[in-house]
Amino acid sequence: MEKVAFLGLGAMGYPMAGHLAKRFPTLVWNRTFEKALKHQAEFGSEAVPLEKVAEAGILFTCLPTTKEVVEVAEALLPHLRPGTYWVDATSGEPEASRRLAERLGEKGVIYLDAPVSGGTVGAEKGTLTVMMGGPEEAVERVKPYLAYAGKVVHVGPVGAGHAVKAINNALLAVNLWAAGEGLVALVRQGVSAEKALEVINASSGRSNATETLIPQRVLTRAFPKTFALGLLVKDLGIAMGVLEGGKDPSPLLRLTRELYEMAKRELSPEADHVEALKLLERWAGVEIR
């Protein structure tokens, strides 16, 4: 059975690596090594120093940005073996990932960008959607090892996975903010947000924001920390790069990026992305409830 390695045990990576460890011999590494030792104790993976992950035939990375992936790759380069597959679940930057694929290719390592969608709940349940960029035969080769996935879609060449992920998250941001604006207006009209959502979610205005995020996090005032506002703003920045590359008209997505940049400044990069609606509530002087 192929040995795998998982690098980056954050909110998403920790449970994702757990699913791998249940099915394959799994090496784990994290900058904060205590996290790797905790994972080893919980899931039976093997916590190892960085250079030892090169023993695996398939390497998974799930790091904050492409910059960290490149840093890890450069450190590992002397140790990597030809024929290794590198599956990058980071929400990364398409052009930088294409350059990294070339760099790793010089060593005979096949790089695939494979960001995920579904949040921490999907990571824990093993139901994440994976959007993969890279050669068809490489995608087919690693598919059986995506133990954390409920759905895998090969979306195009290297970089395409990151592009799809960035645009998907831009649409998340649009839907969340637009729903917030609409609900603020309805609350002002004397409609309870709960009743408004009951109608919207049985009608054409529904979205993941109205069906899940706002009922579970805003109406309850729980605002759990699952996906940092700063990371969503990073993804919006990547989406802007995708838009620039095609010179396509995109006034709404560009405005949305500005709104979330403001929310990040006013709240904090560590705030949950749904807390952006707190800024909207502050501006309006009403709560969505």
Side-chain angles (χ1 to χ4, degrees):
M1 191 181 292
E2 189 83 76
K3 187 182 285 186
V4 302
F6 202 102
L7 294 76
L9 302 173
M12 296 292 288
Y14 193 90
M16 287 165 70
H19 289 290
L20 291 175
K22 288 172 189 172
R23 288 175 52 183
F24 313 107
T26 303
L27 308 175
V28 292
W29 174 86
N30 195 66
R31 277 215 170 108
T32 309
F33 198 65
E34 289 75 19
K35 201 93 171 273
L37 292 170
K38 182 183 173 205
H39 197 277
Q40 176 178 277
E42 186 171 347
F43 293 106
S45 54
E46 183 185 350
V48 296
L50 183 59
E51 62 275 8
K52 195 168 164 54
V53 302
E55 292 177 5
I58 303 172
L59 297 178
F60 293 83
T61 39
C62 190
L63 299 169
T65 71
T66 300
K67 178 175 174 284
E68 285 85 3
V69 181
V70 171
E71 287 170 0
V72 166
E74 289 296 337
L76 273 175
L77 221 49
H79 309 283
L80 292 170
R81 298 169 299 158
T84 301
Y85 291 84
W86 189 304
V87 181
D88 185 18
T90 304
S91 293
E93 198 275 304
E95 189 53 47
S97 294
R98 285 189 278 268
R99 291 194 297 271
L100 178 58
E102 286 181 20
R103 180 95 168 105
L104 290 170
E106 293 166 6
K107 257 315 241 206
V109 175
I110 301 97
Y111 171 91
L112 299 158
D113 55 313
V116 299
S117 182
T120 52
V121 172
E124 285 157 11
K125 289 184 176 176
T127 57
L128 293 170
T129 298
V130 183
M131 49 221 90
M132 298 196 76
E136 179 82 45
E137 62 276 11
V139 170
E140 292 305 316
R141 171 74 175 81
V142 303
K143 258 188 190 177
Y145 292 89
L146 302 175
Y148 48 77
K151 186 178 185 67
V152 180
V153 183
H154 181 204
V155 293
V158 169
H162 287 327
V164 171
K165 171 67 176 180
I167 295 298
N168 175 76
N169 279 16
L171 297 178
L172 155 68
V174 169
N175 290 335
L176 179 62
W177 191 273
E181 286 191 7
L183 288 169
V184 160
L186 290 174
V187 169
R188 181 85 69 199
Q189 291 287 319
V191 181
S192 82
E194 187 178 355
K195 290 296 181 189
L197 287 171
E198 189 178 337
V199 173
I200 290 165
N201 289 333
S203 306
S204 55
R206 67 187 180 276
S207 66
N208 182 57
T210 64
E211 290 180 330
T212 305
L213 297 179
I214 294 173
Q216 292 179 4
R217 304 182 183 197
V218 182
L219 267 55
T220 60
R221 312 313 290 175
F223 295 106
K225 300 278 192 287
T226 60
F227 177 38
L229 183 55
L231 290 177
L232 178 57
V233 171
K234 178 214 56 165
D235 289 346
L236 285 164
I238 294 170
M240 295 306 105
V242 173
L243 300 170
E244 287 293 339
K247 303 294 181 194
D248 295 311
S250 46
L252 180 57
L253 292 180
R254 292 176 195 282
L255 176 58
T256 301
R257 192 258 183 109
E258 289 297 320
L259 290 167
Y260 281 85
E261 286 279 9
M262 276 190 265
K264 184 181 88 166
R265 283 197 296 272
E266 291 289 322
L267 302 167
S268 88
E270 288 74 40
D272 187 72
H273 67 298
V274 178
E275 290 184 75
L277 296 192
K278 286 183 177 178
L279 181 60
L280 186 54
E281 291 175 329
R282 191 186 298 167
W283 289 349
V286 298
E287 283 190 352
I288 298 168
R289 56 191 329 163

